[in-house]
Amino acid sequence: MPIRETFWNIPQWAETAQYVLGFITAVVFVYGIVRRVMRWRQGQPDKRFDHIGARLRTLFTQAILQLRVASEAYAGVMHLAIFWGIIALLIGTALATLDWDVTHLFFGFQFLKDGFYIGYELTLDIFGLLLMIGLGMAIYRRFILRPKRLQNPWPTLTRDDAYVLGMLTLIAITGYLVEGLRIAVTQPSWANWSPVGNAIAALFIATGDPTNRILHLSLWSFHILIAFTLLASLPFTKLFHIAAVPTNIFFHSLTPAGTLSAPRSADSVGVKAWKEFTWKQILDFESCTRCGRCQDVCPAYASTQILSPRNMMIKLETHIWEKANGRQLHSDVITADELWGCTTCRACSEVCPAFIDHLSSFVDMRRYLVAEGQVDAQLQKALANLGRYGNSFGQSERMRAKWTQPITSKIKDARREAVEYLWFVGDYASYSPTLTEITSKTAQVFQKAGLDFGILYDGERNAGNDVRRVGEEGLFETLVEKNVSVLGKCSYKKIVTTDPHSYNTVKNEYPRSETSEVLHYTELLDQLIASGQLKFNKRLGYKVTYHDPCYLGRYNGVYDAPRRVIEATGCELVEMPRHGDRAFCCGAGGGRIWMKEAEVKERPSEARVREAVSLDGVNTLVTACPKDITMFRDAVKTTGNEERLAVKDLIELVYAAL
Amino acid sequence: MNIVVLAKLVPDLVEELTIDANGNALDSSFARLIINEFDDHAIEQGILLKERGGGSVTIIAPDAEGADDVLFTAAAKGADRLIKIKGDFSNVNNHALARAFAKVVSGIKPDLVLTGVQAHNDLDGALGPLLAELLEMPYIGYVSAVSINGDKVLIKKEYPGGLLAEMDVQLPAILGIQAAEEPPRYVAVSKVRQAMKTSSIEEQDASNLDPCGGSAIGRMFQPEASSHATMITGSPDEVAEKLVGVFKELGIV
Amino acid sequence: MTQDIYIVIEHLRGQVADISYIMLAAARELAQSAGGNVIAVLLGHNAKELAANFAADQVIYLDHPALADFTPDAYQKALADLIQKNQPRAVLFGSTSIGSDLASVLSIRLDLPLASSCRSFTKDGKFVSQICGGKIMAEGALPSPTALVTMIPGGYKSEEGKSTQPPTLTPAEVPALDALRVALKNYVEPQAGDVDIAKEPILISVGRGIQNKDNIALAEDLATALGGVVTGSRPVIDQAWLPSSRLVGKSGKHVKPKIYFTLGISGAPEHVEAITDSDTIIAINTDPKAPIFDIAKYGVEMDLFDLVEVLTEKVKQAK
Ligand SMILES: Cc1cc2nc3c(=O)[nH]c(=O)nc-3n(C[C@H](O)[C@H](O)[C@H](O)COP(=O)(O)OP(=O)(O)OC[C@H]3O[C@@H](n4cnc5c(N)ncnc54)[C@H](O)[C@@H]3O)c2cc1C
Ligand code: SF4
Ligand code: SF4
């Protein structure tokens, strides 16, 4: 009768030793965990215990099902194989313990017998194999393929990687050997149900007893020893992510991606030393598995290699464990160049399987730099202009609506008349001489659709989205105050914006009372087309591709509206390889457009233009953000693709199709 | 080292300037006032000197819309004392301003006074040298580096073509700053707000504003645009053609 | 009390500054309306020969070791003494690193009226000053008794202040120059090593309108096509888009090329003053009101980015 013979060939002393070892392991393990948690608790408070239900749901889909991990083929198969392999073996071990140390010991029966036991053996054998495959893939990739994103900034990390993979592999191999030896000696009739174990047994049958028994006992002891060692060392190695990542997923921010958390006190000057981070930010650092997915999608990394979100997390994690050695968070650990390199495109957080919120920490550190006046000359100029004139161009407010002058039918002044739609035009669309033609087309399209709309004329100020992300919170507040006070005096139903950046902050960061409904103009057009208010006479028939602006797509999930509008104009849309939530940033965001450009091989905008040019038959790159237009029109020139690719705002298609 | 920096506000050239009804002065009611950019450099140089060698920095500004802002911003950068001279300074000349400053500055007994080398609306000379003579202190303008050396300062004075002269000046002295050694630093809005809470502005009344020594302006006007250039028009192609024609005429092509 | 117009000559290390000749030319105009002589005041030490080409009726020469190089203290003392004694109708100073240190101080010391930033004089002897970055002109009667005036370039050509006839040189007594509070230590030379833009016949000059460092290449291409050199306005040099040796203007070099071709330069007075000796100025600017058009011979109101590449091509074809 098939039954689990636990501790077969294991003398009493070894069995006892195992329990002693288990106890020691538990002590070390608990100490390690407590040590980690204590470190988190040195951070600042942050409320993350709301919406438990929603948190548990994400925990299930992302920590157990690991949907985001699975979104990448190789890494997904690899990680899920290892993960489920270990889980199954853990459950197996737990069942065996239950069977032997509880039901057998106290109640005198075993449930690991007969068919159930056979199923148990078979399942464990298969999952063990799965684990081996996963580990093999991991070792192959990390030590043979060695992709850039897995290369570590210093060697101790590589040792950590090797330790974890090596130990897991050893455990799996010795486990199989122990099983094989047991089968070789006992040769049970159900041995075929452990295909791998049985195959290994076949190798040993010839060796015969007592060698096999001695071998079995030694390997068993070794297996137990390394298994416990690994368990005890878990909180001290990268394996800790098993605990940290689910915790991080559970506590991840539930506010919209476009809402940046404010500094923690009114006169806060950002984060100067690591203890000024919140416990959640510290948990972020601790959760990084160094998988490098973020680095792969980071436009800053792609263009300059100065900033890698992965390396930022690694450095921050290392820093919080450093003994007092005088190393400063700013400059010694994280350089200003790294911090200023970020375009705040959010591509990193979008792909991070550990749900790390990189930007909250980056902006907190930028806030410190701004408070210290450590901003480059161009950015300083832009901020000074924004403070003085409310726009980064350094032009008078009175010039803000100059673009309206050629338009024959006057646009309503929303400060004087009630309007249905208050159009928040934005800086670039208002002031940039190369964009005003597009802005004027937007106005004409609105007029042709019979929209009741108005603008704020010289009452509008920069919305402050990027001012905030630069880390100049005080200036952001000033801009918000000014805009809100003007908006407060207007009568309107909805706000529509040209610029996705304005859209993001007005929608997600302005006081609710003034911003009941905020639409991006692409959403508005989509509605107007659906309701039949906007009708097209022409079908353009262009073959176009569409670039998702970061603050429209990834930040606010507006992916479909612009695509529907493009199709309504009779254009054929061909997607770039990186589209939707994977769209590659143009490089302008987060205040980058105001800063000095670093020497680069290829700017993000150039990479993007090349991506568009490589599409068969596509001759137009459509986008829906004034900054994108600026960046791409430049990149089309610098890459010599002026003949091949036209850069158009969505509104230009709409205008042409009317 | 007791350092005093003088800051005045000037019309922002970003805005359209207008002449007042009398036709002989700028219409100050419409102009946006901003700190004279050279005074901003003078403030920076003062703070740099304090950071390097200690001492205190006092900023003095004549009353105008935006003067408080200028003063608090300087405090956020590290200035210790803020003084605003009360009075009606719209359309007053630098001679009068210098006399008003002289009274306040002499009360402070500074070792060193810094001010911007010039302002774009000066019509009767720069403020610094006027004040220097009123206080009987030596003056040097076009200064772009300052280091204190006992009872003297060693300065660098700019001449055309990048030539610099190093001069020793007996203290107390007044320097007209052309450029601080570092560009004026950025102050975060939150820091200015903090300064508003923690520092205060002393107010002192101007003595009677005596403009004597300036020159009366009979008429102010805006120069006519494009009075001289012959404008070449057309599409970029056509313009380029015509320009090549000009080059040919001049024998360049 | 005389009706003479005095010009305080500026010179540095054996070189008379251009502004001195411009003032000589201006003084001629003013002397005509005032009915006096044009008198150059030369302060220096063993510097007589500097006066050889002054277009002046007379040169008053103050020779003293302490006047060899400019220091404000010594110059102020010597001039105060002279002006007090002779009481001319007006004294012209450069609105420069030298003149600005003198005029204001003397105005207070001698209690004489001062007019600054004067660009030209009208036929009837009024001064016309240019302020607010060239956006405003201010006109006023020449104040009495002795008007101190600081002058900016732009109104007169330096050639008109030169003469082949050496003027008469009258040495004047120099007062005691003691208790000086300022001492010259030494000169610091600018870094050399680049082309001398003052001698180049074709200059393509870029201003803030060029937007960023990368775009300088556009100007370089045009310069190469024309056989010229790229220079810039101060913002361009400040941003290190071009080396400081390429700075044109008050703090940079005075240039006198055959063609001075500006791209996105507004024509601020500090820039313009150094280019008025150019034969032909051509300006590209999007702003029809940009002051650069006032002194340019040809103007194009256009986005430079629309034009430059096309132009470079056409020039290449024409060659
Ligand atoms: C004591 C002192 C010394 C100085 N010394 C010097 C000096 O030596 N040299 C010097 O140059 N300055 C000097 N300056 C600075 C001077 O006052 C001006 O600030 C400077 O000359 C302005 O440079 P700019 O014309 O390039 O820039 P701006 O005045 O900003 O002008 C840019 C121009 O470009 C135009 N433009 C913008 N975009 C385009 C486009 N796409 N196509 C065409 N046109 C465009 C705009 O209409 C504008 O007119 C000095 C100032 C002081 C006070
Ligand atoms: S937000 Fe974008 S630019 Fe910034 S670190 Fe993340 S991926 Fe890189
Ligand atoms: S931050 Fe996230 S995506 Fe980046 S390496 Fe760490 S775990 Fe991977």
Side-chain angles (χ1 to χ4, degrees):
Chain A
M1 186 187 63
I3 189 160
R4 164 130 179 143
E5 206 178 333
T6 309
F7 292 125
W8 173 84
N9 190 37
I10 307 302
Q12 189 59 42
W13 63 263
E15 198 181 331
T16 316
Q18 185 207 313
Y19 288 108
V20 174
L21 204 62
F23 179 72
I24 298 173
T25 299
V27 171
V28 177
F29 180 86
V30 169
Y31 164 74
I33 298 284
V34 168
R35 181 172 157 271
R36 292 269 191 176
V37 175
M38 303 256 285
R39 195 76 7 175
W40 306 344
R41 293 179 58 98
Q42 295 192 33
Q44 303 301 307
D46 190 359
K47 288 209 190 66
R48 291 291 170 102
F49 285 96
D50 53 340
H51 301 93
I52 298 290
R55 294 187 181 281
L56 287 173
R57 271 195 299 282
T58 326
L59 191 66
F60 177 72
T61 52
Q62 300 298 350
I64 311 289
L65 300 183
Q66 303 190 352
L67 295 183
R68 199 180 269 186
V69 178
S71 67
E72 241 184 58
Y74 190 104
V77 169
M78 177 198 92
H79 193 265
L80 284 169
I82 298 175
F83 175 73
W84 284 110
I86 290 177
I87 291 291
L89 293 175
L90 273 179
I91 293 174
T93 313
L95 282 179
T97 313
L98 197 68
D99 177 69
W100 190 251
D101 288 339
V102 181
T103 63
H104 177 253
L105 187 67
F106 295 110
F107 308 105
F109 78 92
Q110 285 184 266
F111 54 84
L112 284 181
K113 58 180 190 186
D114 302 333
F116 184 65
Y117 177 50
I118 286 177
Y120 170 90
E121 284 288 320
L122 179 64
T123 313
L124 288 197
D125 226 49
I126 292 170
F127 273 94
L129 197 63
L130 203 61
L131 172 62
M132 292 293 284
I133 292 171
L135 288 170
M137 286 172 81
I139 291 169
Y140 176 69
R141 195 165 70 121
R142 186 170 289 277
F143 298 105
I144 296 170
L145 290 182
R146 294 166 50 82
K148 201 144 190 204
R149 79 180 204 192
L150 290 182
Q151 287 169 22
N152 289 317
W154 47 77
T156 44
L157 301 174
T158 311
R159 260 177 262 147
D160 186 28
D161 296 336
Y163 169 79
V164 168
L165 280 181
M167 289 293 266
L168 283 175
T169 312
L170 269 183
I171 291 171
I173 290 174
T174 51
Y176 270 128
L177 286 175
V178 167
E179 186 193 25
L181 281 162
R182 178 167 50 82
I183 295 173
V185 176
T186 58
Q187 303 201 359
S189 53
W190 59 86
N192 283 337
W193 293 104
S194 302
V196 181
N198 205 21
I200 293 172
L203 301 174
F204 286 102
I205 289 180
T207 327
D209 268 356
T211 324
N212 278 352
R213 278 181 185 264
I214 299 169
L215 237 122
H216 175 266
L217 179 58
S218 343
L219 279 171
W220 181 86
S221 310
F222 184 58
H223 177 76
I224 294 293
L225 196 70
I226 50 176
F228 278 126
T229 308
L230 186 65
L231 215 56
S233 64
L234 185 142
F236 305 92
T237 63
K238 80 178 282 187
L239 258 195
F240 180 62
H241 80 270
I242 294 175
V245 169
T247 316
N248 205 39
I249 292 176
F250 181 78
F251 287 119
H252 88 275
S253 170
L254 296 180
T255 49
T259 313
L260 193 69
S261 45
R264 282 173 284 289
S265 67
D267 57 347
S268 166
V269 289
V271 167
K272 180 184 183 189
W274 72 265
K275 287 184 188 170
E276 292 161 19
F277 284 119
T278 65
W279 64 266
K280 174 59 182 58
Q281 290 172 320
I282 297 172
L283 177 56
D284 272 343
F285 313 153
E286 297 248 291
S287 304
C288 175
T289 63
R290 312 199 286 266
C291 73
R293 291 181 187 213
C294 52
Q295 179 176 308
D296 261 3
V297 295
C298 173
Y301 184 80
S303 64
T304 64
Q305 267 103 57
I306 293 171
L307 162 67
S308 151
R310 169 185 187 260
N311 288 352
M312 294 282 272
M313 290 300 124
I314 292 175
K315 289 194 279 188
L316 288 164
E317 204 268 345
T318 311
H319 179 60
I320 63 170
W321 289 101
E322 266 172 339
K323 298 224 170 56
N325 56 5
R327 268 165 57 86
Q328 300 293 317
L329 171 64
H330 286 278
S331 79
D332 292 338
V333 178
I334 302 293
T335 65
D337 283 348
E338 283 174 288
L339 289 173
W340 293 128
C342 176
T343 71
T344 71
C345 72
R346 233 186 65 81
C348 48
S349 311
E350 188 77 24
V351 298
C352 177
F355 281 66
I356 288 169
D357 183 359
H358 307 74
L359 288 170
S360 91
S361 315
F362 293 1
V363 173
D364 266 340
M365 287 186 278
R366 280 181 168 193
R367 284 174 178 152
Y368 173 76
L369 293 180
V370 169
E372 289 299 296
Q374 292 182 35
V375 293
D376 82 38
Q378 262 167 277
L379 177 58
Q380 171 166 355
K381 181 96 195 144
L383 292 176
N385 284 338
L386 284 157
R388 188 174 284 164
Y389 309 106
N391 66 74
S392 61
F393 290 81
Q395 289 192 28
S396 168
E397 302 78 322
R398 285 175 214 138
M399 306 297 275
R400 187 175 273 276
K402 193 175 156 213
W403 64 268
T404 58
Q405 280 167 9
I407 298 177
T408 40
S409 53
K410 185 157 160 42
I411 297 173
K412 279 188 183 175
D413 186 338
R415 297 168 301 177
R416 302 226 169 78
E417 299 171 70
V419 291
E420 189 179 355
Y421 290 93
L422 188 143
W423 179 17
F424 198 95
V425 186
D427 274 16
Y428 268 76
S430 301
Y431 284 108
S432 175
T434 50
L435 295 173
T436 47
E437 194 190 320
I438 295 176
T439 316
S440 134
K441 282 184 180 163
T442 312
Q444 293 171 55
V445 170
F446 286 174
Q447 284 173 340
K448 285 190 185 147
L451 214 63
D452 175 23
F453 72 102
I455 62 175
L456 294 173
Y457 285 87
D458 54 341
E460 187 185 303
R461 295 284 177 286
N462 181 293
N465 188 68
D466 300 85
V467 171
R468 189 167 208 213
R469 276 142 191 92
V470 155
E472 184 30 312
E473 187 75 9
L475 182 54
F476 169 70
E477 287 165 7
T478 313
L479 292 167
V480 174
E481 265 164 42
K482 292 202 171 136
N483 281 323
V484 164
S485 95
V486 176
L487 288 172
K489 292 185 201 116
C490 303
S491 164
Y492 57 92
K493 293 215 180 66
K494 298 171 185 173
I495 292 178
V496 56
T497 78
T498 326
D499 191 330
H501 298 243
S502 316
Y503 172 71
N504 181 65
T505 190
V506 175
K507 182 173 176 162
N508 298 310
E509 297 176 326
Y510 272 46
R512 274 277 144 261
S513 54
E514 308 304 342
T515 57
S516 51
E517 195 179 345
V518 184
L519 292 171
H520 186 249
Y521 79 88
T522 55
E523 292 177 295
L524 174 60
L525 292 176
D526 184 39
Q527 291 178 3
L528 293 175
I529 292 167
S531 70
Q533 222 178 320
L534 194 64
K535 287 201 184 64
F536 297 119
N537 294 328
K538 269 178 259 166
R539 292 189 59 77
L540 298 177
Y542 307 151
K543 207 166 168 185
V544 306
T545 188
Y546 173 70
H547 166 82
D548 291 274
C550 302
Y551 280 91
L552 197 58
R554 263 192 300 276
Y555 273 89
N556 289 293
V558 180
Y559 298 115
D560 300 334
R563 288 179 166 79
R564 278 193 298 265
V565 176
I566 290 176
E567 263 149 31
T569 63
C571 290
E572 184 193 342
L573 177 65
V574 184
E575 295 286 4
M576 284 184 269
R578 295 176 287 190
H579 64 273
D581 61 357
R582 293 295 142 88
F584 191 66
C585 171
C586 75
R592 284 289 323 153
I593 202 164
W594 300 323
M595 297 176 210
K596 211 172 99 198
E597 247 192 340
E599 293 283 331
V600 293
K601 287 197 298 285
E602 187 184 43
R603 297 189 189 94
S605 54
E606 293 171 339
R608 192 63 168 158
V609 159
R610 293 204 173 97
E611 190 174 349
V613 167
S614 72
L615 298 175
D616 210 21
V618 167
N619 53 19
T620 309
L621 170 59
V622 180
T623 185
C625 168
K627 294 188 181 93
D628 276 327
I629 300 281
T630 311
M631 299 300 277
F632 292 141
R633 289 210 168 144
D634 169 64
V636 166
K637 287 183 197 144
T638 55
T639 57
N641 281 306
E642 265 175 302
E643 307 295 311
R644 301 190 47 193
L645 192 71
V647 176
K648 286 210 164 91
D649 195 283
L650 187 52
I651 202 74
E652 294 181 275
L653 296 187
V654 172
Y655 184 85
L658 278 176
Chain B
M1 182 69 39
N2 190 355
I3 300 168
V4 166
V5 186
L6 314 179
K8 78 166 187 175
L9 288 104
V10 295
D12 187 350
L13 297 184
V14 161
E15 305 289 346
E16 284 285 329
L17 299 176
T18 45
I19 314 290
D20 74 2
N22 293 332
N24 65 355
L26 282 179
D27 189 340
S28 50
S29 55
F30 278 120
R32 182 210 302 269
L33 297 180
I34 59 170
I35 185 170
N36 170 24
E37 66 166 301
F38 298 104
D39 291 349
D40 209 17
H41 278 266
I43 292 174
E44 183 65 30
Q45 187 64 49
I47 305 285
L48 287 173
L49 287 173
K50 172 185 158 178
E51 283 171 352
R52 246 187 266 145
S56 81
V57 177
T58 305
I59 315 287
I60 312 178
D63 200 3
E65 199 185 319
D68 288 11
D69 237 26
V70 165
L71 290 168
F72 284 128
T73 304
K77 290 178 179 180
D80 305 273
R81 196 175 158 197
L82 313 174
I83 300 175
K84 186 164 71 177
I85 312 181
K86 298 285 283 180
D88 179 13
F89 294 98
S90 49
N91 287 328
V92 26
N93 70 14
N94 278 345
H95 279 74
L97 208 51
R99 289 185 182 105
F101 271 120
K103 189 179 138 218
V104 178
V105 173
S106 58
I108 302 175
K109 302 203 169 27
D111 300 301
L112 182 64
V113 181
L114 305 176
T115 182
V117 62
Q118 64 181 65
H120 65 63
N121 62 348
D122 291 342
L123 268 171
D124 57 339
L127 189 63
L130 295 172
L131 179 66
E133 190 58 20
L134 288 169
L135 297 175
E136 298 185 347
M137 291 183 189
Y139 172 84
I140 295 196
Y142 287 67
V143 170
S144 62
V146 184
S147 57
I148 292 164
N149 203 344
D151 63 345
K152 286 185 180 151
V153 277
L154 181 67
I155 60 97
K156 288 201 174 87
K157 180 179 175 68
E158 287 202 354
Y159 286 125
L163 180 70
L164 295 170
E166 283 191 311
M167 294 186 185
D168 247 345
V169 190
Q170 196 78 45
L171 291 176
I174 300 192
L175 303 176
I177 302 294
Q178 150 99 12
E181 283 154 54
E182 309 272 346
R185 66 194 70 191
Y186 183 71
V187 254
V189 171
S190 62
K191 291 238 158 171
V192 179
R193 286 196 197 143
Q194 235 172 315
M196 286 179 180
K197 287 191 207 124
T198 54
S199 39
S200 59
I201 296 175
E202 296 166 44
E203 297 192 347
Q204 298 200 14
D205 280 317
S207 48
N208 66 323
L209 290 168
D210 172 10
C212 169
S215 321
I217 301 301
R219 182 169 83 99
M220 253 188 206
F221 57 98
Q222 285 166 308
E224 264 172 55
S226 315
S227 52
H228 297 311
T230 313
M231 299 305 277
I232 300 175
T233 54
S235 68
D237 250 7
E238 293 157 10
V239 169
E241 277 300 340
K242 290 178 194 167
L243 284 173
V244 171
V246 172
F247 294 148
K248 279 187 181 145
E249 238 170 70
L250 295 167
I252 307 264
V253 192
Chain C
M1 185 74 205
T2 73
Q3 290 301 311
D4 295 339
I5 310 298
Y6 280 25
I7 300 98
V8 177
I9 298 297
E10 298 191 0
H11 58 96
L12 263 178
R13 301 199 300 175
Q15 284 259 262
V16 176
D18 246 18
I19 187 75
S20 305
Y21 298 111
I22 292 172
M23 290 194 289
L24 284 165
R28 180 63 62 203
E29 178 142 350
L30 192 56
Q32 262 151 28
S33 62
N37 288 320
V38 173
I39 299 179
V41 180
L42 178 63
L43 298 86
H45 184 51
N46 300 330
K48 238 192 284 205
E49 64 286 354
L50 292 183
N53 64 351
F54 293 171
D57 302 318
Q58 188 196 343
V59 177
I60 298 181
Y61 178 49
L62 292 97
D63 188 297
H64 191 285
L67 298 175
D69 287 282
F70 172 76
T71 59
D73 253 15
Y75 267 53
Q76 287 157 6
K77 277 194 176 157
L79 285 168
D81 185 66
L82 181 76
I83 296 168
Q84 229 163 4
K85 275 193 213 139
N86 297 6
Q87 298 191 14
R89 177 68 189 90
V91 186
L92 310 188
F93 300 85
S95 179
T96 60
S97 191
I98 292 177
S100 303
D101 283 6
L102 302 173
S104 299
V105 168
L106 292 172
S107 162
I108 296 289
R109 190 174 296 175
L110 305 176
D111 201 9
L112 292 174
L114 169 61
S116 61
S117 301
C118 169
R119 188 171 182 264
S120 61
F121 296 99
T122 58
K123 289 268 174 284
D124 52 349
K126 288 188 185 124
F127 69 89
V128 183
S129 293
Q130 186 184 34
I131 54 167
C132 297
K135 289 188 166 181
I136 299 286
M137 308 299 289
E139 188 186 277
L142 198 67
S144 306
T146 298
L148 306 181
V149 182
T150 69
M151 298 218 49
I152 59 170
Y156 305 92
K157 283 213 146 79
S158 58
E159 289 314 312
E160 294 162 15
K162 290 179 186 164
S163 151
T164 45
Q165 287 274 303
T168 49
L169 198 90
T170 328
E173 199 181 321
V174 182
L177 299 179
D178 48 11
L180 298 178
R181 300 165 297 182
V182 178
L184 173 71
K185 303 294 270 185
N186 59 278
Y187 290 104
V188 185
E189 302 289 337
Q191 304 112 306
D194 199 17
V195 287
D196 183 0
I197 56 170
K199 301 201 174 99
E200 290 289 326
I202 299 171
L203 298 178
I204 311 299
S205 208
V206 292
R208 216 194 301 254
I210 199 83
Q211 287 172 4
N212 60 46
K213 185 168 185 162
D214 300 337
N215 293 337
I216 299 281
L218 291 176
E220 297 280 4
D221 291 347
L222 178 58
T224 315
L226 282 169
V229 165
V230 178
T231 56
S233 68
R234 186 142 99 171
V236 170
I237 273 70
D238 275 357
Q239 308 265 14
W241 297 344
L242 282 172
S244 55
S245 54
R246 303 292 180 95
L247 175 60
V248 174
K250 190 185 179 91
S251 1
K253 288 238 164 82
H254 278 240
V255 295
K256 5 182 144 23
K258 282 173 85 143
I259 289 195
Y260 192 73
F261 194 100
T262 72
L263 301 172
I265 287 182
S266 62
E270 293 84 358
H271 186 84
V272 164
E273 68 174 57
I275 63 173
T276 42
D277 287 335
S278 312
D279 289 346
T280 305
I281 297 174
I282 306 174
I284 317 292
N285 198 305
T286 39
D287 176 6
K289 284 180 155 178
I292 189 78
F293 289 132
D294 296 346
I295 60 149
K297 182 147 179 203
Y298 300 102
V300 182
E301 181 194 333
M302 186 176 281
D303 190 326
L304 72 94
F305 297 107
D306 291 337
L307 180 67
V308 175
E309 277 163 309
V310 185
L311 180 60
T312 307
E313 274 318 302
K314 296 247 183 249
V315 170
K316 279 187 194 152
Q317 285 162 20
K319 280 221 159 170

